[in-house]
Amino acid sequence: MTTDATPTPQTPPAAAPPLTETDTRVLLRLRRIEGQVRGLQRMIEEGRDCHDILTQLSGVRSALDAAGEQILEQYAGGCRARPGETITPQDVVRAVKLLRR
């Protein structure tokens, strides 16, 4: 059984806002972290020493924390995800709690 569905026109996705300097720095940091995670995978596949793996894992965790701090700073300054809205102290506390999970 076939249906004669008329295709609905799709709206093109909204253009992403331009990246801020902070966005660019965070993206670069995340790409480096991605490489570190791939390195961790390779280390495990190669049977590397647990101490070396844990050291690399600690570095990845620190790098993620640093990226989170940059994003938190941007959020506290009025993140562009909600342009024009006032950021309340409760918003900042909520963001810090999210980061600390």
Side-chain angles (χ1 to χ4, degrees):
M1 171 164 71
T2 61
T3 59
D4 232 357
T6 305
T8 57
Q10 294 185 357
T11 56
L19 295 178
T20 65
E21 185 178 327
T22 302
D23 292 334
T24 302
R25 282 196 316 267
V26 169
L27 283 172
L28 289 172
R29 186 179 297 264
L30 290 173
R31 288 184 182 117
R32 281 193 302 270
I33 293 168
E34 182 181 19
Q36 288 178 298
V37 170
R38 275 199 289 275
L40 267 170
Q41 293 169 341
R42 219 173 11 260
M43 291 171 78
I44 292 170
E45 290 168 352
E46 294 169 357
R48 297 275 298 270
D49 181 66
C50 289
H51 182 271
D52 294 341
I53 292 170
L54 290 172
T55 300
Q56 180 72 5
L57 188 60
S58 176
V60 169
R61 186 176 293 124
S62 294
L64 281 170
D65 288 344
E69 288 171 9
Q70 280 187 322
I71 293 169
L72 180 60
E73 284 178 24
Q74 184 177 12
Y75 179 84
C79 185
R80 65 187 176 85
R82 298 186 294 171
E85 275 190 25
T86 303
I87 303 297
T88 66
Q90 293 84 2
D91 290 330
V92 175
V93 169
R94 190 170 29 254
V96 169
K97 286 181 179 179
L98 280 172
L99 188 61
R100 296 176 84 197
R101 278 190 191 176

